[in-house]
């Protein structure tokens, strides 16, 4: 068990778990339009490259991550 946690720590320190510009599917809760939004994973969480990307211009609302 200790070996796996050390490998996870090594991967974290060397940046192996950091992903940049992964396209994540989003949808609009109002009109159901779909859009792929660039996101990155760092420090255990997902962040938007640009905070305005998950926005539906037609409905003027924030899009939601599509599960699955």
């Amino acid at each position: 068990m200790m070996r796996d946690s050390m490998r996870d720590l090594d991967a974290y320190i060397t940046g192996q778990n950091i992903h940049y510009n992964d396209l994540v599917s989003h949808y609009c809760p109002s009109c159901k339009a779909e859009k792929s939004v660039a996101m990155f994973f760092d420090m255990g969480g997902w962040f938007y490259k640009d905070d305005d990307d998950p926005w539906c211009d037609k409905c003027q609302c924030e899009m939601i991550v599509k599960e699955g």
Side-chain angles (χ1 to χ4, degrees):
M1 199 61 143
M2 180 70 144
R3 184 181 302 194
D4 290 337
S5 62
M6 290 303 291
R7 285 186 182 153
D8 290 341
L9 180 59
D10 286 343
Y12 174 76
I13 291 169
T14 59
Q16 294 176 24
N17 295 332
I18 299 174
H19 301 273
Y20 294 100
N21 297 325
D22 284 353
L23 294 178
V24 179
S25 294
H26 286 65
Y27 72 94
C28 175
S30 297
C31 69
K32 308 298 185 217
E34 294 187 14
K35 181 179 181 181
S36 292
V37 178
M39 297 181 77
F40 64 94
F41 183 82
D42 193 5
M43 304 273 301
W46 284 97
F47 300 92
Y48 292 107
K49 182 178 176 185
D50 183 357
D51 288 336
D52 292 334
D53 282 345
W55 187 256
C56 180
D57 291 325
K58 178 181 175 185
C59 300
Q60 297 298 304
C61 67
E62 191 167 340
M63 300 180 105
I64 300 170
V65 174
K66 186 175 180 181
E67 299 289 329

